[in-house]
Every structure is written in structure tokens, then in C-alpha cells.
Amino acid sequence: MHTLRQRAPGLALTFALALAAAWLAQQPWVARWGLSALTLAIVGGIVLGNTVYPTLQGPCGTGVDYAKQRLLRLGIILFGLRITLQQIVQVGWAGVLIDVVMLSSTFGLAVFAGRWLRIDGQTAILIGAGSSICGAAAVLATEPVLQARGDKVAVAVATVMVFGTLGMFGYPLLHPWLASLGVSDTAYGVYVGSTVHEVAQVVGAGRAVSEWAAGQAVITKMIRVMLLAPFLLTLSFAVARRGVRAGAHAPTAAPAAAAPTVAPMAAPITATGPAADASARSRIVIPWFALGFVLVALLNSLPLLPAAPKSALLALDNLLLAMAMGALGLSTHASAIRRAGSRPLALAALLFVWLVLGGGLVNALLGHWGR
């Protein structure tokens, strides 16, 4: 009870932020911009975090930290309710392959260009995850593996918001030209789903053309979301070997001598072997919430969950993720974002150009445009 009383003020604050963001996201003038409740929650959190929250941090800090950690992981697990294996079959192997190629190439470009731009490894990885997978939700899911600071998460989410919104309005403008090349609404939907950042932005870019295009875009996007779990597992092993947690300045920086603190809901596995090798490696963090995400997606593929409970769980998931985003925003100071400079924005812009142009090339080669 004592712990609950400590967490209650902070949880109440993040709950209020989440409700306000959800209400605002449903307003027509906001919905036109494709801004999700997650994005609005972190923006609201940043505003409060740099105005009135410093005076409330004493009583609210424990609950805000809890929302950033435990509620975040639970929200990622429930995110699996948005995906089924049947959706993957519907798009076909070409759509799955396009998603895999776009995720791998975009994230690889983020790591490579991040070194060239001299961006610290954590920020480059967070921006790469958000651009290559599913926007703010991917940034949130990657943060526990990296144990990154809130300001780096906020910078990554901001880039998703800027370039994802740009894509939502820009892709429909490309459609008449693509149609003249013989690109069908189905192919256009796969193109949008495999390259646009956020789910809400994918819906906006698809519906601007047709409902069928929107449906194909969302299914393709959900496959990208499902790839989040293997991505996190792979990243966790890479982090353990290369040390991209707190204090690292490049994705290939040498690992710290001391093992980092293991995040909640993650299990440490100490590297084995000679003492010299053991001291040169970090602990591997198994992101159990990623495995839970896969299990929930598999469960969702079976006709076992009634519609009403599933709808309630999806609403709960939206709430939990929005609370986590609000908590991250509250912990973010504008001075830290200013210190990040223009380089993260340049990296995100480069990734956006690749998603549009390179994504078009990949879709043309693997999706058989015009055939």
C-alpha cells in the first residue's frame, strides 16, 4: 500500500495526460494531420515537463518512472492484439519480403549514417527503429533494451512525427504519377504500409486514395509491427556485444567494463567463457515483453478471443502506451533536445528520403509494379 501511495500521484498525472491526448487525437482538425495519441501524449508531457512539472516531481516522480518502465512493457505486449497470421498470408510473401528488406536497409542506413553524422549510438538506433518499423511505438519498445535517456527518446519520437506527417500528405500526391506507371491500389497500399512511419499516418495516406489501398497499407504495416519482436531480440544481443547502452557515443563503441542495470521484465544472461572475454562483454538483456508480444499475436490469430474483451484490451493498450509516452515527455527537458542539435533531424531526413525513393525501388523490384 505504501508503494501504491507513492506511485499514485505520478500515475494519475500520466493518466490525465493520456486521456487528454486520446480526446485530442479524435478531434477532426487533429485527425487530419495523422497525429496519434502517443505523439500528442509525449508533446503534452514535454510541455508540462518544462513548465509546471518540476514543482510536482517530488510527489510524482515514482509513478512517472513506473509508467515509463512497467506500463510501457505491458503496452508493447498488448500491441500484439493488432496483428494476425492471417493478415500476413493475405499480403503474401512478396509483401513480407518487402517489409523485411525495408526494415533491414533503413535501420542499417541509420546506424551507418549516424556514425558519419557523429550522432551517439543510442539516438541513431532509436531514430532508425522509429523510421524502419512502427514509429513512436518502436522507439518506446527499443528504449528498454538500450536503457536510453528520455531526451533521446523524445528526439526520436519528434522525428517520427515530423517526417511521418510529411509522408502522410506527400504519398497521395505521388499516386497519380504511380498510377500512370500501372501501379494498382493494392501495390500503392503495400508501398505506403512498408515505408510510412506511424499506423495512423499509413491509414491517412491510404484512405486519401481508396479504402482498398488503406486496407492493404494497414495489413502491410502490421507485418512491419510484427517484425518488432525479432528486431528487439537481435538488438539485445548486439547491444550486449557492442555496448550501446548509456554512455555509448557510437553504435560500435567499446562495451563498458561493468554490466549495465537490467531493465524490469528483462532477464540477464551473463556471457560465459574466459575471464577476459566475460569482462569485455555486457549482459544480454532478453526483452521478455517482445516474446509476450509474439505470443499475444499468435493468440490473436486464433478464434478464441471474443470481440468485446479484445476491444477493451486494445483500448487499455492505447491508454498504457499513451501514459508511457506522457511519462517520457515529463522527463524530457527542452535544453536536452536543443543540445541534440540538427544532426538527428538530418539523419531522420535522410531515412525519409530512402523510405520514399529506395522504398519505391524495392517495391517495384519485389512487388512487380505495373504487372
Side-chain angles (χ1 to χ4, degrees), residues 87-101 223 366-367:
Q87 290 174 328
I88 298 178
V89 173
Q90 184 175 350
V91 170
W93 287 110
V96 175
L97 182 59
I98 289 170
D99 276 341
V100 171
V101 170
I223 296 174
L366 300 180

Side-chain angles (χ1 to χ4, degrees), residues 87 90-92 99 185-194 202 206 210-223:
Q87 290 174 328
Q90 184 175 350
V91 170
D99 276 341
D185 281 6
T186 297
Y188 170 81
V190 173
Y191 174 43
V192 169
S194 62
V202 166
S210 69
E211 286 295 330
W212 177 259
Q216 297 301 302
V218 170
I219 293 171
T220 306
K221 180 64 176 179
M222 288 298 100
I223 296 174

Side-chain angles (χ1 to χ4, degrees), residues 181-351:
L181 298 178
V183 177
S184 64
D185 281 6
T186 297
Y188 170 81
V190 173
Y191 174 43
V192 169
S194 62
T195 55
V196 175
H197 298 64
E198 290 268 10
V199 176
Q201 295 157 353
V202 166
V203 173
R207 281 183 178 168
V209 171
S210 69
E211 286 295 330
W212 177 259
Q216 297 301 302
V218 170
I219 293 171
T220 306
K221 180 64 176 179
M222 288 298 100
I223 296 174
R224 280 172 74 191
V225 174
M226 181 169 274
L227 294 174
L228 179 62
F231 167 82
L232 291 175
L233 289 171
T234 304
L235 178 64
S236 179
F237 281 91
V239 164
R241 290 180 176 274
R242 300 190 178 189
V244 239
R245 293 197 182 101
H249 295 287
T252 54
T261 303
V262 178
M265 293 183 67
I269 300 179
T270 306
T272 59
D277 291 339
S279 63
R281 294 172 183 255
S282 299
R283 288 182 180 180
I284 296 173
V285 176
I286 302 297
W288 293 112
F289 62 92
L291 300 180
F293 167 86
V294 173
L295 290 176
V296 170
L298 293 175
L299 176 64
N300 190 43
S301 302
L302 302 173
L304 300 176
L305 193 61
K310 179 180 176 180
S311 178
L313 288 173
L314 286 173
L316 176 62
D317 181 48
N318 289 332
L319 176 63
L320 293 174
L321 289 177
M323 289 177 68
M325 290 292 275
L328 285 168
L330 290 170
S331 306
T332 301
H333 299 288
S335 58
I337 298 178
R338 285 195 298 268
R339 285 197 300 270
S342 59
R343 291 178 180 178
L345 195 64
L347 174 61
L350 177 62
L351 297 180

Side-chain angles (χ1 to χ4, degrees), residues 11-25 37-38 40-42 45 318-327:
L11 291 176
L13 179 58
T14 57
F15 180 72
L17 267 173
L19 288 183
W23 175 83
L24 194 59
L38 302 186
L40 294 171
I42 196 170
N318 289 332
L319 176 63
L320 293 174
L321 289 177
M323 289 177 68
M325 290 292 275

